Amino acid sequence: MSELTPAQLDALVSLLDDPDMEVKNHVRDKITSLGAEIIPFLEQKWEKSFNPEVQKEIEELVHDLQFSLVKSRFAEWRDTEDRDLLTGLWILNTYQYPDLDFEKLNADMHQIYFEVWTSFKSDLQPYDQVKIINNVLFNTLRFSANTKNFHSPANSMLASVLDSKKGNPISLCAIYLLVAKKLGLPIYGVNLPNLFVLTYKSADITFYINAFNKGLTFSRKDILNYLEHLKIEPKDYFFEPCAHLDIILRSLRNLGNAFEKLGEANKVEEVKEMIAILENQ
């Protein structure tokens, strides 16, 4: 785990409540330099400590180490060729739920795909295929729009949405998109102002899907009307598929807005750090 012995690590942790700030800062820097592998040791020390000051210091250290891990994972994900969507969503989840296992999230998503796949018929027309997906996701599995707590941070966390069956436009679209990709359908995300939707886009047909409204399908003309209502000038990318990176960035911005409404300034700044990493290409 580190070049330090358990006794030396114990001694370091015991200095976390040292009245000398220089000593305390040196100890924090030394522990932080050991990386995320030290977290289980720190958690054990927290459980055994009866000193609230030390416990508080340990909590902050663990958070800093976990956040550093999230940032390094995002940097690695940004530099991968395919930028796998589920992996990106998992990394985002680990900001709030550091112990979330990717395989657990993957297995939960596979179960949803299996539910859709058992009802799916690949020889149907695109609109009829979408109707089947809609029926399974929104009627059988009962996923729905989280209108009561629209600005909750949980709406940006895929694991929370899978658990509660309630999400915001982009999290519901992400679930829909992950299922559609496994079915081999040409369905992609679309970055509209104030609303994230999907498009079914093939050589023969293009239409749009609103996962926040139980998979309602609509046309390009409907998007033009929507933009006109918002008094927003149409731009090409409002009608075209977006990248997985755009989906993760929009999810992070939603998360930042949620924390801002809750007055959690530190978390708002941390979300900005994650966004900056992904935008640094």
Side-chain angles (χ1 to χ4, degrees):
M1 180 170 66
S2 74
E3 71 278 10
L4 300 179
T5 65
Q8 289 171 319
L9 287 170
D10 278 338
L12 264 181
V13 172
S14 70
L15 289 170
L16 282 171
D17 67 340
D18 195 290
D20 187 328
M21 283 305 297
E22 193 173 335
V23 171
K24 186 183 285 191
N25 287 336
H26 175 73
V27 169
R28 283 182 63 91
D29 290 345
K30 181 62 181 174
I31 292 174
T32 303
S33 73
L34 299 174
E37 289 182 4
I38 197 75
I39 290 174
F41 173 83
L42 290 174
E43 288 175 335
Q44 285 180 354
K45 296 305 292 181
W46 185 93
E47 289 172 5
K48 292 176 181 176
S49 174
F50 294 98
N51 185 329
E53 181 66 25
V54 170
Q55 284 185 320
K56 184 172 178 296
E57 289 288 337
I58 290 173
E59 286 167 13
E60 290 178 5
L61 275 169
V62 168
H63 174 76
D64 290 347
L65 287 164
Q66 287 169 336
F67 184 48
S68 292
L69 186 58
V70 171
K71 289 190 289 185
S72 66
R73 283 171 174 164
F74 264 137
E76 287 173 16
W77 180 83
R78 177 199 64 205
D79 296 336
T80 58
E81 191 174 341
D82 65 339
R83 289 176 176 162
D84 178 70
L85 180 58
L86 185 60
T87 301
L89 292 166
W90 167 70
I91 296 168
L92 192 157
N93 267 232
T94 61
Y95 172 66
Q96 286 277 85
Y97 304 102
D99 297 328
L100 177 67
D101 182 46
F102 175 80
E103 292 308 322
K104 167 73 166 63
L105 197 62
N106 190 35
D108 289 346
M109 275 308 310
H110 186 78
Q111 184 58 41
I112 293 169
Y113 158 74
F114 182 76
E115 295 274 355
V116 176
W117 178 78
T118 54
S119 300
F120 195 73
K121 295 180 177 63
S122 56
D123 57 348
L124 292 176
Q125 293 298 310
Y127 278 104
D128 293 323
Q129 290 177 331
V130 165
K131 279 181 185 174
I132 289 174
I133 299 174
N134 291 347
N135 185 53
V136 176
L137 289 183
F138 305 117
N139 293 331
T140 306
L141 297 178
R142 303 184 73 79
F143 280 99
S144 65
N146 193 351
T147 50
K148 283 186 180 176
N149 294 299
F150 185 80
H151 296 292
S152 167
N155 287 330
S156 297
M157 302 289 153
L158 182 59
S160 298
V161 176
L162 294 181
D163 186 47
S164 68
K165 303 291 182 76
K166 291 185 181 297
N168 60 14
I170 197 162
S171 59
L172 293 175
C173 279
I175 292 167
Y176 203 116
L177 186 56
L178 289 164
V179 169
K181 287 296 177 197
K182 277 200 158 195
L183 292 168
L185 299 178
I187 290 179
Y188 312 92
V190 177
N191 245 332
L192 277 179
N194 301 340
L195 182 65
F196 195 88
V197 297
L198 300 166
T199 181
Y200 187 110
K201 188 178 180 66
S202 68
D204 305 316
I205 188 170
T206 297
F207 61 91
Y208 299 88
I209 306 160
N210 185 354
F212 198 62
N213 191 6
K214 298 189 174 182
L216 177 76
T217 56
F218 57 102
S219 67
R220 181 185 179 91
K221 180 73 168 70
D222 293 319
I223 292 180
L224 286 167
N225 291 339
Y226 171 75
L227 294 170
E228 186 180 355
H229 177 72
L230 292 177
K231 295 181 172 54
I232 293 174
E233 195 68 29
K235 294 188 171 117
D236 288 345
Y237 72 85
F238 292 158
F239 304 91
E240 297 299 323
C242 68
H244 291 166
L245 178 63
D246 297 317
I247 294 174
I248 300 301
L249 280 169
R250 184 149 179 174
S251 297
L252 280 167
R253 291 188 183 106
N254 283 348
L255 184 62
N257 290 337
F259 287 138
E260 195 165 3
K261 288 182 184 298
L262 292 170
E264 298 195 38
N266 289 344
K267 290 188 175 182
V268 172
E269 291 307 311
E270 288 179 340
V271 170
K272 286 178 182 175
E273 284 185 54
M274 291 185 276
I275 290 171
I277 288 166
L278 294 181
E279 288 181 334
N280 182 25
Q281 300 179 70

